[in-house]
Amino acid sequence: MSANTPSVLFVCLGNICRSPSAEAVFKKKAAEQGLSIEIDSAGTAGYHKGAAPDKRAQAVGEDRGYSFKGLKCRKVVEQDFEKYDYILGMDSENVANLLEICPEEFQHKVGLFLSFSQSEEQQVPDPYYGGKRGFEYVLDLIEQGADGFVEHLKSSSP
Ligand code: 4NP
């Protein structure tokens, strides 16, 4: 990976619903736009370490053409703050949890994913205890966030 290749880490609580969906969606959109970027996701909690993304998230995402192949849950680790250029939480609680463990010098890298979108909604809500409709809504928001983030990268690349 070149030193100039930007990198992004998508973060939610469990790393089985929202952030792997953001990873899958953003991988596809970045590839379609010819953007070279390193992409990963992680959770602030480690409940499901090593697990594949939630079956409901996969079903809804695969229906829209996104691939979840090879994705495995992991927890955020301290080295992530140095390694990634953008560390984007799905909701404000994720961001607060990240800022609690992020060294001062890297705090500027942490932000809300939907802050890059045109959406008035700034939070991608936790769909874990809801139904399929909640997963569809989450994916709608993630697609808006990914489009906004693609535009941001395109406008900030040299
Ligand atoms: P996520 O959803 O943060 O979008 O991956 C959740 C997944 C699992 C749990 C909570 C949220 N859980 O409590 O196990």
Side-chain angles (χ1 to χ4, degrees), residues 11 18 89-99 110-113 121-125:
V11 177
R18 292 167 291 174
M90 296 294 122
D91 65 28
S92 297
E93 196 177 312
N94 305 145
V95 169
N97 289 336
L98 284 166
L99 290 175
V110 176
L112 260 182
F113 178 46
E121 182 54 77
Q122 291 291 290
Q123 313 287 324
V124 182

Side-chain angles (χ1 to χ4, degrees), residues 6 9 18 67 89 93 96 99 111 120 129:
L9 182 69
R18 292 167 291 174
S67 169
E93 196 177 312
L99 290 175
E120 265 178 41
Y129 293 107

Side-chain angles (χ1 to χ4, degrees), residues 12-20 47-48 94 125-129:
C12 62
L13 175 63
N15 191 217
I16 57 167
C17 299
R18 292 167 291 174
S19 60
Y47 316 133
H48 303 273
N94 305 145
D126 182 349
Y128 189 64
Y129 293 107

